[in-house]
């Protein structure tokens, strides 16, 4: 790459084009817009924040004064105090009721926020309202008891927010105080009244809008369809930061929002000003921003096309090629362009892919040869270790002159050795394996007459299935060597089999169980973990060799599990092998040994 012109370097092209296109544009647009927005943001927040605070504090003071008025009405007013002492409907009661009605009728117009003042007991309701009498009467009859109970449970000295669609505007604030046992005074402030006073100052053309929110995030006094703004975070309602800029997720518009939480109720008074209004006083900056934004989009679009052709597309091809290589697809090759670095990468990649393909084929063939050699070595290690015992048995029978047992022993021993010497195939049928086990067990039965028995529970359709040679017999041999310790007690070996359907496909399950002494706990743990056994357990190497052979042959899909046999505590082994297709038979299969 020593004589390559600098202009063809992708690094130089990227650096030069980026600086030429982006830096002047970004600096100008960002600088102007930040300056303009900061000036507008500060001026608007400074102007409107004071007015919002004055209005919200004035509303809180008015609510506090109304609370004071209710307290005086409950504690100091003589008529309210003695009302409960008269029987309901009596003349003194009616005269007192009229005097109370006149007082609250006068006072309801004195406080501009109050909509309704009421005196409530379980037997009677006295109220005066500036709104619709019929609607307020129904609301009070249905809700007054609930106001009072909720106020007692909450134990808060503040106004409660309530909703009843029959009240004009729906949302209202209510405050109640106990006069005597069962008699209460209270007042209602409609949220729409607060909104009307707030709208006089804020809902003026495009300046923005005012709103009252409950702390749960719901906007009060309007339906969700009428609300032009959806607060993205309700936690902001309790925070009186000077201002926040938020984006309405429903409309995509940006707003500046200023909040003032109320000290008298769980509500917040807010002013919401669209960012579009804030920027309309800056026409020059807006036009520059719009034209510059459009110019940036166009320039950036051409820049992306250039980068895509020079960098993104070749890199994507390289990534795609590497992904295919990782999946084992070795025939992929990359096309080159005129960028020197990418030409070098593509050529290197193509050479490496060709080398990997060649090496993988060679390694795969070598691995197959190594596996075949290892299988033969493992099979050779699983030769029987009872030659001398078998010869001693024949000798003893001959010495005693019992020729018939000598004949049968010789036949079984011949079948056993014939199988061992002719097993030059990787796969045999399960029936051949069981025939070999039968020969082995017959020979062992002469060593332990009337003490060794066995039985098979293998379906006929499984016997023709192909399995690795000598995959079951070592477990039977291991059971006799390690399980048949007490030669006085009858020893029973059971070999069972079944076909199962699982998520991974069809499997053959082979189980070998005995009623012997079982596995020691430490040996059982090591066998299931596939770890090295202690020196005293070296006779179990044949079992470990079988496990290794099955892993090699079935590529990890076979499993061998050791456990204690249920019921008698003996040893139990479960072999799980992938089932071959129904039509598959071992290659070079000969006639099976029957028993």
């Amino acid at each position: 790459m020593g004589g390559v012109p600098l202009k063809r370097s992708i690094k130089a092209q990227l650096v030069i084009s980026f600086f030429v296109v982006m830096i002047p544009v970004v600096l100008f647009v960002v600088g102007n817009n930040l300056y303009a927005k900061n000036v507008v943001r500060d001026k608007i927040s400074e102007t409107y924040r004071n007015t919002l605070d004055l209005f919200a504090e004035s509303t809180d003071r008015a609510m506090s004064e109304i609370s004071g008025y209710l307290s005086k009405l409950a504690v100091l007013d003589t008529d309210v105090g003695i009302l409960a002492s008269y029987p309901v409907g009596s003349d003194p009661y009616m005269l007192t009721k009229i005097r109370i009605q006149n007082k609250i009728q006068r006072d309801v117009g004195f406080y501009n926020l109050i909509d309704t003042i009421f005196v409530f007991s379980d037997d009677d309701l006295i109220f005066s309202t500036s709104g619709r009498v019929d609607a307020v009467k129904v609301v009070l009859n249905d809700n007054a008891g609930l106001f009072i109970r909720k106020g007692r449970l909450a134990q808060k000295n503040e106004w409660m927010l309530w909703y009843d669609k029959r009240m004009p505007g729906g949302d209202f604030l209510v405050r109640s105080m106990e006069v005597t046992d069962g008699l209460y005074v209270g007042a209602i402030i409609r949220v729409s009244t607060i909104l009307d006073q707030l709208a006089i100052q804020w809902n003026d053309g495009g300046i923005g809008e005012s709103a009252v929110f409950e702390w749960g995030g719901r906007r009060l006094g309007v339906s969700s369809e009428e609300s032009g703004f959806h607060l993205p975070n309700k936690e902001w309602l309790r925070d009186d930061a000077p201002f926040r800029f938020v984006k309405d997720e429903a409309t995509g518009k940006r707003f500046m929002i200023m909040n003032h939480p109320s000290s008298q109720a769980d509500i917040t008074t807010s002013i919401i000003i669209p960012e579009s209004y804030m920027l309309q006083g800056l026409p020059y900056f807006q036009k520059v921003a719009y034209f510059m934004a459009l110019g940036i989009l166009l320039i950036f679009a051409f820049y992306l096309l250039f980068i895509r052709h020079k960098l993104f597309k070749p890199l994507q091809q390289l990534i795609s090629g590497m992904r295919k290589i990782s999946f084992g697809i070795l025939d992929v090759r990359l096309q080159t362009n005129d960028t020197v670095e990418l030409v070098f990468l593509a050529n290197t990649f193509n050479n490496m892919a060709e080398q990997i393909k060649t090496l993988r084929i060679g390694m795969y063939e070598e691995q197959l040869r190594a596996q075949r050699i290892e299988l033969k070595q493992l099979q050779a290690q699983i030769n029987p270790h009872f030659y001398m015992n078998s010869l001693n048995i024949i000798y003893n029978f001959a010495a005693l002159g019992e020729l018939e047992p000598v004949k049968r022993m010789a036949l079984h021993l011949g079948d056993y050795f014939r199988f061992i010497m002719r097993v030059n195939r990787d796969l045999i049928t399960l029936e051949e394996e069981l025939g070999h086990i039968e020969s082995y067990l017959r020979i062992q039965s002469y060593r332990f007459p009337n003490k060794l028995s066995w039985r098979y529970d293998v379906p006929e359709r499984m016997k023709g299935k192909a399995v690795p040679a000598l995959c079951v017999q070592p477990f039977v041999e291991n059971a006799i060597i390690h399980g048949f310790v007490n030669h006085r007690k009858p020893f029973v070996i059971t070999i069972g089999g079944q076909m199962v359907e699982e998520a991974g496909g069809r499997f053959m399950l082979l189980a070998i169980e005995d009623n012997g002494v079982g596995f020691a706990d430490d040996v059982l743990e090591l066998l299931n973990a596939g770890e090295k056994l202690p020196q005293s357990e070296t006779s179990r190497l044949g079992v470990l060799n079988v496990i290794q052979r099955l892993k090699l042959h079935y590529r990890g899909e076979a499993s061998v599990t050791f456990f204690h046999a249920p019921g008698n505590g003996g040893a139990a082994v479960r072999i799980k092998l992938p089932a071959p297709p129904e039509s598959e038979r071992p290659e070079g299969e000969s006639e099976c040994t029957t028993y």
Side-chain angles (χ1 to χ4, degrees):
M1 296 175 59
V4 176
L6 180 62
K7 66 180 181 179
R8 291 185 59 191
S9 167
I10 189 170
K11 182 176 179 180
Q13 292 175 2
L14 283 174
V15 172
I16 294 171
S17 60
F18 178 83
F19 278 99
V20 168
V21 174
M22 297 303 297
I23 287 183
V25 175
V26 170
L27 289 178
F28 181 79
V29 174
V30 171
N32 280 280
N33 278 281
L34 285 179
Y35 175 76
K37 287 184 178 181
N38 286 334
V39 169
V40 172
R41 183 180 299 170
D42 293 340
K43 293 299 180 182
I44 289 181
S45 64
E46 181 181 348
T47 302
Y48 293 156
R49 182 74 213 187
N50 292 334
T51 308
L52 172 64
D53 291 343
L54 288 173
F55 177 84
E57 291 168 3
S58 172
T59 302
D60 283 349
R61 281 196 302 273
M63 294 168 68
S64 179
E65 290 173 1
I66 296 171
S67 297
Y69 163 75
L70 292 177
S71 179
K72 291 177 182 178
L73 190 64
V75 176
L76 302 178
D77 191 279
T78 306
D79 290 326
V80 173
I82 65 173
L83 181 65
S85 63
Y86 298 127
V88 177
S90 65
D91 290 342
Y93 179 89
M94 296 305 296
L95 291 174
T96 305
K97 178 178 178 178
I98 291 172
R99 289 196 297 273
I100 294 173
Q101 182 74 53
N102 290 335
K103 288 178 186 178
I104 62 177
Q105 183 69 39
R106 176 198 65 202
D107 295 340
V108 79
F110 181 76
Y111 297 95
N112 59 353
L113 279 182
I114 289 184
D115 178 78
T116 302
I117 301 175
F118 63 89
V119 179
F120 172 79
S121 68
D122 291 338
D123 301 316
D124 200 2
L125 172 66
I126 306 170
F127 74 95
S128 179
T129 180
S130 60
R132 291 171 48 193
V133 175
D134 54 344
V136 173
K137 183 176 181 179
V138 172
V139 171
L140 286 174
N141 281 329
D142 291 347
N143 294 280
L146 299 176
F147 300 157
I148 294 164
R149 282 196 295 275
K150 185 175 180 182
R152 285 204 305 262
L153 291 174
Q155 296 181 349
K156 289 184 178 180
N157 188 27
E158 62 181 23
W159 291 77
M160 292 186 300
L161 184 63
W162 208 267
Y163 176 81
D164 193 308
K165 64 181 181 181
R166 295 168 295 187
M167 177 70 77
D171 296 297
F172 58 91
L173 297 167
V174 61
R175 179 75 187 274
S176 62
M177 293 184 181
E178 187 175 16
V179 181
T180 60
D181 188 21
L183 182 65
Y184 301 87
V185 297
I188 291 176
I189 299 175
R190 283 190 289 131
V191 174
S192 59
T193 303
I194 300 175
L195 288 172
D196 289 342
Q197 296 184 12
L198 195 56
I200 295 172
Q201 301 181 48
W202 302 108
N203 288 1
D204 183 14
I207 293 179
E209 57 180 311
S210 55
V212 176
F213 292 93
E214 66 166 329
W215 285 0
R218 185 173 67 89
R219 185 170 178 178
L220 305 178
V222 297
S223 65
S224 57
E225 292 78 11
E226 296 171 333
S227 174
F229 175 76
H230 301 273
L231 193 69
N233 189 338
K234 63 183 180 183
E235 297 301 324
W236 294 345
L237 295 171
R238 305 189 186 197
D239 138 23
D240 57 355
F243 60 85
R244 288 183 182 277
F245 271 90
V246 298
K247 182 178 180 180
D248 186 351
E249 299 296 338
T251 62
K253 297 180 180 179
R254 284 175 53 84
F255 295 85
M256 184 176 76
I257 180 170
M258 291 181 284
N259 298 321
H260 189 108
S262 172
S263 61
Q264 298 293 314
D266 294 342
I267 62 172
T268 295
T269 306
S270 302
I271 296 174
I272 305 162
I273 304 172
E275 189 179 45
S276 58
Y277 164 75
M278 294 168 52
L279 296 179
Q280 71 181 2
L282 303 169
Y284 170 75
F285 290 106
Q286 279 188 308
K287 290 178 181 178
V288 169
Y290 293 150
F291 281 115
M292 292 304 296
L294 181 60
I296 288 174
L297 288 176
L298 292 175
I299 294 172
F300 195 62
F302 286 112
Y303 183 69
L304 284 179
L305 290 175
F306 172 77
I307 292 297
R308 179 181 180 276
H309 176 71
K310 290 291 183 181
L311 179 62
F312 294 163
K313 187 175 180 181
L315 285 180
Q316 185 60 39
Q317 291 176 350
L318 178 61
I319 293 171
S320 176
M322 294 175 69
R323 185 178 292 114
K324 290 179 180 178
I325 289 289
S326 68
F327 291 153
I329 305 173
L330 303 179
D331 294 328
V332 61
R333 297 294 181 271
L334 299 182
Q335 302 295 324
T336 60
N337 59 16
D338 58 350
T339 304
V340 61
E341 290 88 351
L342 293 178
V343 169
F344 176 76
L345 284 175
N347 291 335
T348 303
F349 176 87
N350 293 338
N351 292 335
M352 290 175 63
E354 187 64 34
Q355 292 175 10
I356 290 172
K357 182 178 179 181
T358 303
L359 288 173
R360 183 170 181 178
I361 293 173
M363 289 176 64
Y364 181 73
E365 292 175 349
E366 184 63 28
Q367 184 181 15
L368 289 177
R369 286 193 295 268
Q371 286 184 359
R372 291 193 185 99
I373 294 172
E374 185 173 3
L375 283 173
K376 296 302 180 184
Q377 291 175 344
L378 290 174
Q379 285 180 355
Q381 293 176 11
I382 308 177
N383 286 328
H385 300 289
F386 67 111
Y387 302 135
M388 297 304 299
N389 289 335
S390 300
L391 293 175
N392 285 334
I393 293 172
I394 294 174
Y395 174 81
N396 290 331
F397 279 136
L400 293 173
E402 298 183 12
L403 298 181
E404 192 61 32
V406 171
K407 293 178 183 178
R408 290 197 299 270
M409 184 69 175
L411 287 175
H412 293 310
L413 198 58
D415 289 339
Y416 182 88
F417 289 137
R418 186 180 301 111
F419 180 88
I420 292 296
M421 288 184 291
R422 76 180 182 181
V423 175
N424 55 2
R425 293 173 288 150
D426 292 340
L427 297 177
I428 62 172
T429 63
L430 180 57
E431 187 170 11
E432 288 178 292
E433 179 77 7
L434 294 176
H436 177 60
I437 294 171
E438 179 77 8
S439 299
Y440 173 77
L441 291 174
R442 293 288 182 188
I443 295 169
Q444 291 289 12
S445 68
Y446 287 105
R447 288 185 60 196
F448 310 107
N450 302 320
K451 298 296 182 180
L452 177 63
S453 62
W454 59 92
R455 66 185 184 88
Y456 302 112
D457 185 15
V458 180
E460 287 296 326
R461 66 192 185 104
M462 280 185 62
K463 293 181 179 179
K465 298 294 184 181
V467 296
L470 297 174
C471 68
V472 181
Q473 188 271 342
F475 295 101
V476 176
E477 182 177 349
N478 187 72
I480 294 176
I481 294 173
H482 294 278
F484 194 11
V485 176
N486 184 3
H487 294 167
R488 296 181 180 180
K489 179 183 176 181
F491 188 70
V492 181
I493 297 177
T494 304
I495 301 175
Q498 61 175 325
M499 302 291 292
V500 296
E501 296 280 350
E502 295 184 4
R506 297 175 69 249
F507 291 88
M508 295 189 297
L509 294 183
L510 296 172
I512 303 98
E513 298 182 9
D514 62 59
N515 62 341
V517 297
F519 297 107
D521 290 339
D522 56 339
V523 173
L524 182 64
E525 184 176 351
L526 292 173
L527 285 172
N528 281 319
E531 298 180 3
K532 185 177 180 181
L533 295 173
Q535 187 67 27
S536 60
E537 297 290 336
T538 53
S539 58
R540 297 186 193 267
L541 287 176
V543 169
L544 298 180
N545 286 337
V546 172
I547 297 173
Q548 180 66 16
R549 290 174 55 213
L550 293 178
K551 287 182 179 179
L552 287 172
H553 182 80
Y554 290 105
R555 299 181 182 273
E557 294 185 11
S559 65
V560 179
T561 308
F562 301 86
F563 54 96
H564 296 296
N568 55 38
V573 182
R574 189 185 73 168
I575 306 172
K576 180 180 175 183
L577 306 176
E582 293 294 337
S583 60
E584 182 176 324
R585 301 283 291 181
E587 187 176 336
E589 179 183 343
S590 60
E591 292 186 4
C592 301
T593 303
T594 59
Y595 49 90

